[in-house]
Amino acid sequence: MKQISKKSALLIGGFLALAGNGTFAAAAQPMSGEQIIQQQCTACHTKTGDASKPYSRISQQRKTPEGWQMTLHRMVSIHQAKISDAERKQVLKYLADTQGLAPAETAGLRYGLERDGNLVENNDPAYAEMCARCHSGARFGLQRRTRAEWDLLVQFHMGQIPTLELHSLARDRPWFELAMNEVAPKLAEDFPFETAAWKAWQAADKPTFAHAWTIAGYIPGKGDFDAVMQVRDQGDDRYALEIAGHYADGRPLSGSGQAITYTGYEWRAALTLDGMKLRQILAANEQGTQMTGRLFMAGANELGAEMVAQRAAKGDHAVTRVMPSHIRQGTRQEITLVGAGLQGTPELGEGVRVIKTLSAGTNRMRLLVEADKQAAVGLRDIRVGQIQVPAMLAVFDQVARVEVVPGESIARVGGNGMPVAKVKSAYRAVGYASGADGKPGTADDIRLGHMPATWTLKAFDETAEQDNDLKYAGTIDANGIFTPGDAGPNPERKMSTNNVGNLSVVGSVDDGGGQVSGEAHLLVTVQRFVRSSVQ
């Protein structure tokens, strides 16, 4: 069998169980994942004699699919494990299914799986200086280990990174002593190997995914979209996908792809939509009726956004998205409802009525609606037949403030003949109306949702102004996508430094009577040469 190459490993496993070209390997596997472990791994990982934890080191840990992917990559690239690409996929599937994390155990940390690098963490102080100074809190929070294994992880760090105690925030304290005596016990308490949630999930009936799904999301540079995703079972938790739908402006959208599920709820898909290669990392709820997560460009993880997939099988009823999610007093506009089992004339709340149904289907309704001039400012529930969803449509008088998201972000120089590509950053403007107190920026502000904006940049501070960062660090286009400058020294800059910079991203929304603007902070920095499956 063909041995996995180092290049393949560095590509993060060809996106887990997907082969490097985005398709599944067709060859049938003669051995199960457990049989491969027994044959290929027990030269180093001895049998323990404990049926509940049969293999040393392996059986005392639980991880996400991406976590196990990183482990397998390390076994191949550092320890020269002789395991083929096809065998690696089998082992990954087996470990993720039998030693994964329950849905509740990934809550609040899924950004680490979804490749969302522009999120400000709020880690426990005990971890912030000892662990999260090198990698995200999601990196260790998405693992479960026995107490002995958490101790061994500290030992692994010292053996693998012998200069660790010389790093900043380590050389000024007894790092190893603190890690062993304080941090490892806390990790074992906060992220234990045995949990009630995992035991319950192992015993639960797992959902099937071979249905029609209504999906809705946003693609940077293209806009909001909704579509029907037909999912066809190919066996062994693998699925073929066919997608057809529309962007918010009416342009058609279509594509196809393939997916695999791990641990009964972890959905990973590679698809092509209108020539764009994309990835889905989603998690299903325990009932298997809805999946949420992120859709992003295959070659640029930073260009993506949240998406939702609603099962649209017989008997399913839901409204998952309203586009746009706001209407101004005294105006008419088109809105689109997305969901499943949509039947009848929608009720949009006091002061808002449907003038005309432009198109109607069970998964998508396009409506012409009107808000009264005196309609109260605030959020409205939406009712469609037996479906009622709270606070999905906002009525507003004016845009009181604009929030640019992400509020803190990083872009990275690249290209220019260098092997590492530029890392871009994408922005959206979220409008807010003032609440009952009439003051913007207070707790009762009403979120209106994403709004069209014009985009500009400015220097973040006096130093950035003096260094002329605005000229060299990059540009932003009409879609809110920032492209950083080229990698390498720039002889035009002071001391021929590179094109890093410190910028503010300004998004301005036309409120009819003027522009309302918001700002976000953008740090343009150097390349990242090491990429991991869990950010």
Side-chain angles (χ1 to χ4, degrees):
M1 302 179 74
K2 181 180 178 182
Q3 299 297 313
I4 182 173
S5 67
K6 189 170 183 178
K7 179 180 179 182
S8 297
L10 291 173
L11 289 174
I12 313 177
F15 197 68
L16 300 182
L18 305 178
N21 62 359
T23 60
F24 292 113
Q29 299 303 315
M31 293 190 296
S32 68
E34 185 174 19
Q35 289 171 329
I36 294 167
I37 291 173
Q38 291 174 350
Q39 184 180 91
Q40 303 285 58
C41 305
T42 51
C44 296
H45 297 276
T46 58
K47 295 184 178 180
T48 65
D50 181 349
S52 65
K53 301 182 185 69
Y55 308 107
S56 65
R57 304 303 308 276
I58 300 172
S59 302
Q60 293 78 32
Q61 306 177 39
R62 293 192 287 114
K63 301 179 183 180
T64 62
E66 285 77 7
W68 284 118
Q69 175 63 38
M70 292 173 66
T71 298
L72 288 167
H73 164 55
R74 188 174 69 253
M75 295 301 105
V76 171
S77 63
I78 297 179
H79 301 293
Q80 289 77 50
K82 303 302 181 183
I83 181 171
S84 72
D85 192 24
E87 289 171 331
R88 179 179 54 82
K89 294 171 185 176
Q90 285 288 100
V91 173
L92 171 60
K93 183 74 169 72
Y94 170 76
L95 290 172
D97 287 350
T98 60
Q99 293 174 220
L101 269 62
E105 292 177 313
T106 70
L109 296 170
R110 297 201 60 83
Y111 60 88
L113 305 176
E114 295 168 2
R115 319 288 171 86
D116 185 0
N118 288 324
L119 184 142
V120 179
E121 292 188 313
N122 184 23
N123 289 302
D124 187 308
Y127 301 133
E129 294 184 353
M130 296 294 288
C131 307
R133 63 185 173 91
C134 291
H135 46 66
S136 73
R139 181 76 164 265
F140 55 85
L142 290 170
Q143 300 182 44
R144 298 295 183 271
R145 296 170 180 256
T146 62
R147 168 60 197 276
E149 270 299 319
W150 284 117
D151 288 346
L152 287 170
L153 183 63
V154 174
Q155 302 277 1
F156 164 83
H157 276 70
M158 291 299 299
Q160 200 74 23
I161 314 166
T163 61
L164 183 62
E165 290 182 297
L166 304 178
H167 292 181
S168 175
L169 296 179
R171 59 179 176 263
D172 60 341
R173 69 193 68 197
W175 187 92
F176 182 73
E177 180 182 334
L178 291 170
M180 289 296 294
N181 297 333
E182 296 183 15
V183 179
K186 181 173 174 57
L187 286 165
E189 181 179 352
D190 292 346
F191 309 109
F193 179 72
E194 296 180 356
T195 66
W198 175 241
K199 185 175 181 180
W201 181 246
Q202 284 181 298
D205 293 331
K206 305 302 187 292
T208 179
F209 294 83
H211 310 284
W213 295 77
T214 302
I215 63 174
Y218 172 81
I219 300 174
K222 294 288 186 178
D224 291 308
F225 74 90
D226 67 276
V228 173
M229 181 172 72
Q230 297 286 349
V231 178
R232 188 175 72 254
D233 193 347
Q234 292 189 314
D236 297 325
D237 294 333
R238 289 166 167 79
Y239 303 92
L241 315 178
E242 292 292 336
I243 299 167
H246 299 82
Y247 291 103
D249 62 7
R251 289 172 297 150
L253 171 149
S254 63
S256 61
Q258 293 184 312
I260 184 171
T261 56
Y262 298 94
T263 332
Y265 72 99
E266 293 279 12
W267 172 275
R268 306 291 185 267
L271 56 153
T272 301
L273 295 180
D274 296 340
M276 299 177 292
K277 293 188 181 300
L278 299 161
R279 299 289 185 259
Q280 291 173 340
I281 295 184
L282 309 176
N285 60 12
E286 295 190 11
Q287 299 74 34
T289 58
Q290 193 173 97
M291 297 189 287
T292 55
R294 193 162 177 266
L295 174 75
F296 54 87
M297 299 289 184
N301 298 344
E302 69 275 11
L303 298 182
E306 294 178 355
M307 69 159 288
V308 59
Q310 170 62 45
R311 192 181 69 183
K314 184 178 180 180
D316 287 330
H317 299 276
V319 176
T320 56
R321 189 68 60 91
V322 180
M323 303 184 298
S325 58
H326 48 78
I327 183 170
R328 189 191 294 269
Q329 293 169 332
T331 63
R332 286 188 179 187
Q333 69 179 45
E334 292 184 14
I335 67 169
T336 300
L337 306 185
V338 181
L342 305 179
Q343 294 179 330
T345 301
E347 298 175 22
L348 304 178
E350 184 178 355
V352 184
R353 56 187 174 278
V354 176
I355 301 300
K356 184 179 180 180
T357 299
L358 303 174
S359 64
T362 56
N363 301 322
R364 183 178 195 262
M365 283 186 170
R366 194 163 60 92
L367 310 167
L368 178 64
V369 303
E370 182 177 59
D372 294 339
K373 291 182 179 180
Q374 302 303 317
V377 172
L379 296 169
R380 301 294 194 274
D381 298 350
I382 288 180
R383 181 188 295 274
V384 186
Q386 61 181 289
I387 312 164
Q388 182 169 354
V389 187
M392 287 204 78
L393 181 66
V395 176
F396 72 103
D397 52 356
Q398 62 182 7
V399 178
R401 68 179 178 94
V402 168
E403 177 186 12
V404 174
V405 292
E408 295 283 344
S409 58
I410 289 176
R412 297 179 183 274
V413 298
N416 197 28
M418 304 292 181
V420 180
K422 297 179 180 183
V423 175
K424 301 179 180 181
S425 195
Y427 299 90
R428 301 190 77 182
V430 179
Y432 287 82
S434 296
D437 64 5
K439 299 176 182 179
T442 57
D444 69 344
D445 283 2
I446 300 164
R447 189 181 190 276
L448 306 178
H450 297 111
M451 308 186 90
T454 55
W455 298 99
T456 55
L457 300 168
K458 68 179 187 180
F460 181 72
D461 56 19
E462 184 177 345
T463 301
E465 187 78 44
Q466 293 173 352
D467 290 344
N468 210 1
D469 288 354
L470 189 60
K471 178 178 178 180
Y472 297 110
T475 59
I476 194 165
D477 68 13
N479 296 307
I481 298 176
F482 175 83
T483 302
D486 292 338
N490 184 345
E492 293 185 13
R493 304 201 74 177
K494 184 171 59 178
M495 299 179 66
S496 293
T497 190
N498 53 23
N499 289 316
V500 300
N502 200 5
L503 302 175
S504 290
V505 178
V506 182
S508 299
V509 172
D510 187 353
D511 188 43
Q515 296 282 320
V516 182
S517 300
E519 296 185 13
H521 180 214
L522 165 62
L523 182 65
V524 184
T525 186
V526 298
Q527 304 99 311
R528 182 173 62 187
F529 293 94
V530 178
R531 299 180 67 186
S532 58
S533 297
V534 181
Q535 299 284 16

